[in-house]
Amino acid sequence: TVHLLGRDPEKVRRCVAGIAEDVRGADVVGEVCDVSDLEAVAAWTDDFSSRVPALDGLVHNAGLMPKDRSETRQGHEVQLATHILGPQLMTERVLPLLRAARGASVVFVSSGGMYSTPLVIDDLESRRDYNGVRSYARTKRMQVVLADAWARRLAGSDVRVESMHPGWVDTPGVAEYLPRFRIITRPLLRAVADGADTAVWLVATRPPSQPGHFWHDRAQRPTTFGWQRHENQATVRRFLTEISAMTQTSAAWV
């Protein structure tokens, strides 16, 4: 059974119907929740936990790259909320369901764009000189750091946490947010199924994973290039503390 979650009820309905038509015997349940809205995430996870006894896989795939800065109902910059705060709160609140599966995986869908920036935490809400592409890259770097922190926190348990890079994929998001990039690179862009492959494989096979926990094309990859320094651990600790405070989740990081 796959629970497909989106913020647009009509789009969720169309996607569920399309999968049911294409995949014989598919058991797909449509779920409506705006991941950027922390109150909506809390309400949805409460409802979901009342209906589902265990959760084998959780894939954080919601993403956007708006040109102009906007805020959620809670006053958070929308990329930070969608890529980091919502997934953090959701993971924390469904953790009992993941443990109940006795063998579960959490996957953050990051981006190769994260290689263009270190972890930047002095302006998490992007209030100064907002740039959509830059904020996207920064929050995608944050996802890799957050996934590694979750993996360390849950080490020794039967819940695995990884992040992954799907490659450059011809998605509606690329067409909407990066139209020039899509025109130039279209012959090289991957099909959606190819981009999704590693995320599905990670949930299905739960391979051994080393610190960093960042994957691409079914292989673990470094989180930094050779000339880049690894993340400063004091910066990582401050980032995790601030994210925990923003989401009112546990600060019991390793």
Side-chain angles (χ1 to χ4, degrees):
T1 302
V2 174
H3 295 260
L4 189 155
L5 188 148
R7 61 181 175 175
D8 182 338
E10 178 56 26
K11 187 175 181 180
V12 170
R13 186 197 66 76
R14 291 198 311 269
C15 289
V16 169
I19 294 170
E21 182 176 347
D22 292 342
V23 184
R24 181 176 299 179
D27 184 7
V28 185
V29 180
E31 307 278 355
V32 178
C33 177
D34 183 348
V35 176
S36 73
D37 185 334
L38 299 185
E39 292 180 10
V41 171
W44 178 78
T45 51
D46 281 346
D47 175 62
F48 184 71
S49 297
S50 72
R51 294 183 280 116
V52 175
L55 182 61
D56 298 286
L58 173 62
V59 179
H60 293 302
N61 189 47
L64 74 172
M65 190 194 298
K67 181 178 179 181
D68 299 313
R69 186 183 185 278
S70 61
E71 293 186 350
T72 66
R73 290 197 303 161
Q74 291 80 35
H76 298 297
E77 191 274 318
V78 70
Q79 289 202 67
L80 178 72
T82 303
H83 301 155
I84 299 298
L85 303 182
Q88 165 65 16
L89 181 61
M90 185 179 294
T91 303
E92 182 84 29
R93 292 179 67 91
V94 301
L95 189 55
L97 300 183
L98 293 165
R99 293 186 184 279
R102 297 186 178 182
S105 290
V106 180
V107 178
F108 287 78
V109 179
S110 183
S111 166
M114 72 94 187
Y115 280 118
S116 68
T117 179
L119 179 64
V120 177
I121 63 170
D122 61 352
D123 185 23
L124 286 175
E125 299 282 5
S126 300
R127 292 191 171 93
R128 300 193 300 269
D129 189 27
Y130 176 83
N131 177 285
V133 175
R134 182 176 59 208
S135 294
Y136 181 84
R138 287 180 176 180
T139 53
K140 288 298 172 177
R141 166 64 70 178
M142 293 175 197
Q143 285 185 319
V144 174
V145 173
L146 185 59
D148 183 63
W150 268 107
R152 293 173 186 272
R153 176 174 165 182
L154 298 178
S157 77
D158 52 12
V159 180
R160 293 184 178 175
V161 186
E162 290 96 10
S163 58
M164 57 80 67
H165 169 28
W168 300 111
V169 183
D170 192 8
T171 64
V174 170
E176 179 180 357
Y177 300 121
L178 296 171
R180 291 183 181 178
F181 172 84
R182 182 172 183 261
I183 291 172
I184 295 171
T185 62
R186 192 167 186 178
L188 304 176
L189 294 179
R190 297 178 167 195
V192 172
D194 293 329
D197 175 78
T198 296
V200 175
W201 177 78
L202 285 169
V203 173
T205 68
R206 305 180 71 247
S209 185
Q210 301 300 316
H213 304 284
F214 182 61
W215 293 75
H216 174 60
D217 285 351
R218 299 193 182 191
Q220 195 160 358
R221 309 293 183 177
T223 59
T224 57
F225 287 127
W227 63 87
Q228 293 175 318
R229 294 182 178 180
H230 292 292
E231 305 297 349
N232 179 282
Q233 290 306 301
T235 303
V236 172
R237 286 195 296 271
R238 181 180 160 197
F239 165 69
L240 296 173
T241 298
E242 293 195 23
I243 294 305
S244 295
M246 287 179 179
T247 55
Q248 298 183 356
T249 52
S250 172
W253 301 101
V254 177

